[in-house]
Amino acid sequence: QVQLLETGGASVQTGGSLKLACVVSGYNFNWRYLAWFRQAPGKEREGVAVIWNSGSKTYGNFVNGRFIISQDNTDGKVTVNLVMNRLTPEDTGVYFCAATQRLSGWVLDQRQYTTWGQGTQVTVDS
């Protein structure tokens, strides 16, 4: 079983940038999908971006080219990064890292993911 630990959440001004990182402990190639989700106060959790172990990437519609997901495999350590640019107050929320070995539906449906991190808070001030 993998364990996920997110870091990088902070408060930024509108238009700013932020980089989130998720360290994946216990990773093996069976974990085909590593993703970022977010949840704003009073709203459902929504998919931000996912990277497949093939290297393919899928983004939520609201991303509009502002975010980049990547995976770094260095010295046996796997990290999933999310670089977020041109942030707006609508991007405020808790950002979660998630992993799953297989899908039976939409790749950014939170119900598809079996393992979650504890989340990191992102606040964008207007």
Side-chain angles (χ1 to χ4, degrees), residues 37-46 48 89-96 121-122:
F37 288 78
R38 70 183 188 183
Q39 188 166 19
K43 294 188 177 181
E44 289 190 2
R45 192 170 299 186
E46 63 180 347
V48 178
E90 287 69 36
D91 294 314
T92 293
V94 179
Y95 283 67
F96 297 91
Q121 176 70 43
V122 172

Side-chain angles (χ1 to χ4, degrees), residues 22-72:
C22 172
V23 175
V24 185
S25 302
Y27 177 85
N28 61 56
F29 210 64
N30 290 326
W31 292 93
R32 298 182 178 180
Y33 310 96
L34 299 173
W36 284 96
F37 288 78
R38 70 183 188 183
Q39 188 166 19
K43 294 188 177 181
E44 289 190 2
R45 192 170 299 186
E46 63 180 347
V48 178
V50 58
I51 186 165
W52 311 44
N53 65 0
S54 65
S56 298
K57 303 171 185 180
T58 302
Y59 294 92
N61 290 336
F62 60 86
V63 171
N64 290 323
R66 300 179 299 136
F67 299 174
I68 300 172
I69 189 171
S70 63
Q71 181 173 337
D72 181 26

Side-chain angles (χ1 to χ4, degrees), residues 1-9 19-25 27 31-39 45-51 69-72 78-82 84 93-100 107-122:
Q1 187 76 351
V2 296
Q3 291 184 318
L4 309 173
L5 180 63
E6 307 97 330
T7 59
K19 179 179 178 180
L20 306 182
C22 172
V23 175
V24 185
S25 302
Y27 177 85
W31 292 93
R32 298 182 178 180
Y33 310 96
L34 299 173
W36 284 96
F37 288 78
R38 70 183 188 183
Q39 188 166 19
R45 192 170 299 186
E46 63 180 347
V48 178
V50 58
I51 186 165
I69 189 171
S70 63
Q71 181 173 337
D72 181 26
V78 175
T79 304
V80 182
N81 299 304
L82 183 69
M84 304 186 293
V94 179
Y95 283 67
F96 297 91
C97 186
T100 192
V107 68
L108 285 177
D109 182 346
Q110 61 166 322
R111 295 170 296 181
Q112 301 293 325
Y113 289 79
T114 58
T115 305
W116 294 83
Q118 85 291 346
T120 187
Q121 176 70 43
V122 172

